[in-house]
Amino acid sequence: QVQLVESGGGLVQPGGSLRLSCVASGSISSISVMGWYRQAPGKQRELVAIINWGGGTNYADSVEGRFTISRDNAKKTVYLQMNNLGPEDTALYYCNAKAVRDRTNYYNDLWGQGTQVTVSS
């Protein structure tokens, strides 16, 4: 069974930084795309950033230049470095993995439980 486990959320002041991590557990042979989404209260879940197996990235306009996504394929981990955070970044951040293969199964779309990021003074 493949699971995604996020960590690194918390409370930070405006202008501060946080680094989120997400580890995919299980006997995984490949993960095509990993990424981060977020959902603020009363809003729909939205894309933050994604990264493919080869390192190609895509960012939401609202985080471009402030957030950096990276991944370690050997560790099956994706990171999100968030700098210059503002109150508008407050949300529950979800890790996502697409096209995941383990020894016996194929998972089209997996989600973690989410980690809370709160930006407030």
Side-chain angles (χ1 to χ4, degrees), residues 1-101:
Q1 184 73 17
V2 176
Q3 290 185 322
L4 303 179
V5 180
E6 303 105 332
S7 61
L11 174 64
V12 64
Q13 292 186 341
S17 298
L18 282 176
R19 189 191 195 209
L20 306 183
S21 299
C22 171
V23 178
S25 64
S27 301
I28 298 168
S29 58
S30 67
I31 304 175
S32 178
V33 178
M34 299 188 79
W36 293 93
Y37 292 72
R38 67 186 181 186
Q39 188 167 17
K43 294 187 177 181
Q44 290 188 331
R45 190 176 299 188
E46 63 176 3
L47 169 73
V48 177
I50 55 173
I51 184 168
N52 64 27
W53 182 265
T57 59
N58 188 35
Y59 294 91
D61 290 344
S62 60
V63 307
E64 184 84 53
R66 299 187 298 123
F67 292 10
T68 302
I69 190 170
S70 60
R71 65 188 282 178
D72 185 329
N73 291 331
K75 294 182 179 179
K76 301 176 180 62
T77 301
V78 62
Y79 306 97
L80 186 68
Q81 177 66 43
M82 305 185 293
N83 297 329
N84 194 22
L85 285 160
E88 67 277 10
D89 297 312
T90 295
L92 190 59
Y93 283 70
Y94 294 93
C95 179
N96 174 259
K98 299 187 187 301
V100 180
R101 294 184 182 276

